[in-house]
């Protein structure tokens, strides 16, 4: 009786085909996973920039324009907001002068003032001993020598642009705010950057 079976050549061909198909599926899955990590990093970076900008705009809209100081342009800003100091229910005193609360400063948390382990990548609002986190993930300031030019060795992220991460400029009666954040797409993935720039005019 004749027995049916596979020849060695047929088995080798089948194994080769299975290996190729498995390799293609692995590459496809790896590619999809990398794309997913990039999208997730992009969303995180954008959310951090947007959240930071919303909070900064909210702060500076309440500021008294006469109290806003720089240095401009620069990476910090100090201001005071209208506050009911004398308890009369209004932010003006008996002489109808605007009452202002204590000074607040928006800047990087260079000294880890809130002891959370985050420093120059964190934007905080400092009011006396009170430190509030505004956002995280700031791009490091590449302008090492503060000359406003992208010099050799300063392009840390390799995008050909002088990134500062946090920047305030006076524009007429307002302040132009730039917030740049970054987030890595996975342990070995690229850094994904987001930049938001808005101008706010203090209303008081």
């Amino acid at each position: 009786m004749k027995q049916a079976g596979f020849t060695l050549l047929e088995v080798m061909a089948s194994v080769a085909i299975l290996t190729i198909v498995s390799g293609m599926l692995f590459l496809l899955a790896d590619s999809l996973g990398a794309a997913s990590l990039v999208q997730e990093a992009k969303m995180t970076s954008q959310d951090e920039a947007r959240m930071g900008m919303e909070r900064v705009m909210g702060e500076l809209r309440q500021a008294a324009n006469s109290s806003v100081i720089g240095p401009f342009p620069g990476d910090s800003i100090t201001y005071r907001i209208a506050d009911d100091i004398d308890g009369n229910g209004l932010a003006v005193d008996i002489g109808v002068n605007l009452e202002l609360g204590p000074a607040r400063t928006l800047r990087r948390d260079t000294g880890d003032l809130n002891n959370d382990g985050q420093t120059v990548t964190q934007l905080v609002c400092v009011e006396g001993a009170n430190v509030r986190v505004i956002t995280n993930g700031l791009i490091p300031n590449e302008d090492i020598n503060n000359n406003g030019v992208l010099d050799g060795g300063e392009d840390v992220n390799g995008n050909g642009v002088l990134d500062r991460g946090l920047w305030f400029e006076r524009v007429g009666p307002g302040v132009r705010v730039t917030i740049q954040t970054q987030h890595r797409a996975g342990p070995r993935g690229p850094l994904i950057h987001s930049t938001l720039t808005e101008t706010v005019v203090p209303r008081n």
Side-chain angles (χ1 to χ4, degrees):
M1 182 175 177
K2 192 174 181 181
Q3 290 187 344
F6 295 103
T7 66
L8 180 59
L9 186 60
E10 289 173 330
V11 170
M12 290 176 64
S14 298
V15 170
I17 292 171
L18 282 173
T19 302
I20 292 170
V21 171
S22 299
M24 291 174 63
L25 289 175
F26 175 79
L27 289 174
L28 179 61
D30 189 55
S31 176
L32 289 174
S36 175
L37 288 173
V38 167
Q39 283 298 90
E40 184 179 335
K42 185 176 182 181
M43 289 174 56
T44 301
S45 178
Q46 289 175 343
D47 285 347
E48 290 286 1
R50 180 184 48 77
M51 180 176 63
M53 187 62 77
E54 286 175 359
R55 291 175 176 174
V56 168
M57 292 294 105
E59 285 285 320
L60 294 182
R61 278 194 191 99
Q62 301 177 68
N65 214 333
S66 60
S67 74
V68 176
I69 56 175
F72 295 114
D75 61 359
S76 69
I77 188 170
T78 300
Y79 56 96
R80 297 169 69 190
I81 66 170
D83 194 10
D84 181 16
I85 303 297
D86 59 12
N88 67 356
L90 300 170
V92 291
D93 61 19
I94 195 169
V96 198
N97 299 306
L98 187 65
E99 297 177 309
L100 299 176
R104 298 180 181 182
T105 301
L106 293 170
R107 65 178 181 86
R108 292 178 186 269
D109 189 10
T110 51
D112 194 14
L113 299 175
N114 55 6
N115 298 311
D116 65 353
Q118 302 293 320
T119 56
V120 295
T121 61
Q122 190 171 72
L123 168 58
V124 293
C125 177
V126 182
E127 181 181 347
N130 183 26
V131 180
R132 289 183 292 123
V133 176
I134 302 297
T135 197
N136 290 290
L138 291 179
I139 291 177
N141 185 358
E142 294 182 331
D143 195 9
I144 297 170
N145 56 11
N146 278 330
N147 66 353
V149 177
L150 185 63
D151 297 314
E154 289 185 336
D155 192 9
V156 177
N157 54 29
N159 65 354
V161 177
L162 179 62
D163 294 314
R164 293 189 173 103
L166 178 65
W167 203 242
F168 300 99
E169 301 170 90
R170 266 295 194 181
V171 181
V175 177
R176 180 185 295 132
V177 181
T178 299
I179 294 177
Q180 296 175 297
T181 57
Q182 65 183 13
H183 193 77
R184 188 171 295 282
R188 296 178 302 276
L191 281 170
I192 306 300
H193 307 96
S194 295
T195 299
L196 281 181
T197 299
E198 290 191 31
T199 300
V200 58
V201 177
R203 65 185 179 191
N204 293 305

